[in-house]
Amino acid sequence: MFKHSLNKLRITLGAAVRDLNYNVLYNWLLHLKSKPIEANKKSAIVFSPHQDDETIGCGGMIALKRSQGIPIKVVFLTDGRYGKPSDVKPENAVKFRQEEALTALNILGIEPSQTQFLDEIDGSLAQLTEPQQNLLIAKLVEILQSFEPQEVYVPHHHDRHPDHEATYSLVRTAIEVSRQQIELLQYPIWMLWRNPLSSHEYLHKNSHAYRLSISDFKEKKHQAIGAYKSQTPNLPSSFKQAMYSSYEMFFKD
């Protein structure tokens, strides 16, 4: 009984320390290290490894651009099958995650016709064989050439999640293959939370951070995040605070 209570206390204290580190790093980066950027009228594609990353990382930007009628497309690379709630059967998980995504994106102003699901297996992007990578890159090139975006948004290349980092690499390669002039912006999801201390060292050396004010669209982003009922209940408290910020952060190479 004592050991169980002690382990529980250690877990609680560990989470509290992680939350504190995250908050310090997030606010340092947001207020001291990032530069403000203005909203623009560039068309964009948001590439999201899972159903919810696009809203958490770019929901305010999406709503802002769509309010001005700017074309936005959202592409999901994996099917999100392992992010289902316990009461959803495995065979229904993919459909469930897609329905959540369509609901969230509708709130942000994205029509189903501008949403694409590539349905790679959740968790597989970093383990694709070379032929599988080439096939997926070819699909991404086709999407880029068809939509011709001026901006592309991807997870940060140091985001501490294999699918997220693989999404960055695959999309970056596709842009190079397409030979299009596209501005690449990276949005952080887990980078600052999974290992705050090492992230601080990394960002101190390599930070090119920018902050976009989304205060007028914060409520829409809140509503869209709420559509992901399978994802939000177990997120860390500090992570949620950043999700609901009046700013979104992006990084440029």
Side-chain angles (χ1 to χ4, degrees):
M1 182 69 178
F2 175 75
K3 287 185 178 179
H4 176 74
S5 299
L6 184 60
N7 286 335
K8 188 174 181 180
L9 177 60
R10 286 173 177 167
I11 292 172
T12 301
L13 289 175
V17 170
R18 185 183 290 270
D19 275 347
L20 177 61
N21 287 338
Y22 178 92
N23 280 326
V24 170
L25 177 59
Y26 177 82
N27 284 290
W28 167 80
L29 183 59
L30 179 66
H31 297 294
L32 299 178
K33 291 292 289 183
S34 66
K35 300 176 182 178
I37 54 172
E38 299 294 329
N40 62 54
K41 297 185 179 298
K42 295 179 180 179
S43 60
I45 297 181
V46 177
F47 289 96
S48 180
H50 311 102
Q51 293 76 16
D52 75 339
D53 295 317
E54 82 300 333
T55 298
I56 293 172
C58 306
M61 179 278 298
I62 292 171
L64 190 160
K65 283 182 178 284
R66 288 303 301 139
S67 72
Q68 300 174 11
I70 299 167
I72 302 275
K73 185 179 183 72
V74 176
V75 179
F76 296 100
L77 274 73
T78 79
D79 57 18
R81 66 178 65 187
Y82 297 124
K84 71 177 187 64
S86 59
D87 59 339
V88 173
K89 295 180 179 179
E91 60 269 25
N92 297 329
V94 173
K95 181 181 179 183
F96 185 87
R97 295 296 301 276
Q98 288 187 358
E99 288 175 348
E100 285 187 321
L102 291 171
T103 300
L105 292 180
N106 180 65
I107 293 170
L108 298 176
I110 301 288
E111 298 178 358
S113 63
Q114 295 304 318
T115 306
Q116 191 165 348
F117 300 93
L118 300 185
D119 289 333
E120 297 292 330
I121 296 173
D122 190 359
S124 73
L125 295 182
Q127 286 83 40
L128 295 177
T129 65
E130 186 174 348
Q132 289 172 327
Q133 285 185 22
N134 292 338
L135 181 59
L136 180 52
I137 289 169
K139 291 180 182 177
L140 297 175
V141 170
E142 183 179 351
I143 291 168
L144 290 168
Q145 291 177 338
S146 174
F147 193 81
E148 295 186 337
Q150 296 166 289
E151 291 179 337
V152 158
Y153 292 79
V154 291
H156 196 277
H157 69 277
H158 194 67
D159 205 45
R160 303 286 176 166
H161 189 296
D163 277 345
H164 292 210
E165 295 179 6
T167 296
Y168 168 87
S169 298
L170 291 162
V171 172
R172 186 179 180 90
T173 299
I175 291 173
E176 292 172 356
V177 173
S178 74
R179 297 184 178 181
Q180 293 175 293
Q181 297 298 313
I182 299 172
E183 185 172 15
L184 185 66
L185 296 99
Q186 304 170 51
Y187 57 90
I189 300 294
W190 292 110
M191 179 180 69
L192 304 178
W193 193 85
R194 288 247 163 111
N195 196 339
L197 294 180
S198 68
S199 293
H200 180 282
E201 181 181 354
Y202 171 82
L203 290 166
H204 183 70
K205 296 177 181 177
N206 301 283
S207 177
H208 299 283
Y210 298 85
R211 64 184 183 272
L212 173 69
S213 174
I214 59 163
S215 56
D216 291 343
F217 299 91
K218 188 166 67 170
E219 183 56 36
K220 273 199 172 183
K221 181 175 180 177
H222 289 192
Q223 293 173 14
I225 290 173
Y228 284 110
K229 300 184 186 302
S230 68
Q231 306 303 302
T232 53
N234 298 319
L235 291 174
S237 60
S238 58
F239 188 90
K240 288 183 179 180
Q241 290 175 20
M243 272 191 334
Y244 297 136
S245 170
S246 295
Y247 295 92
E248 287 177 342
M249 281 193 291
F250 302 103
F251 294 79
K252 300 180 184 181
D253 292 339

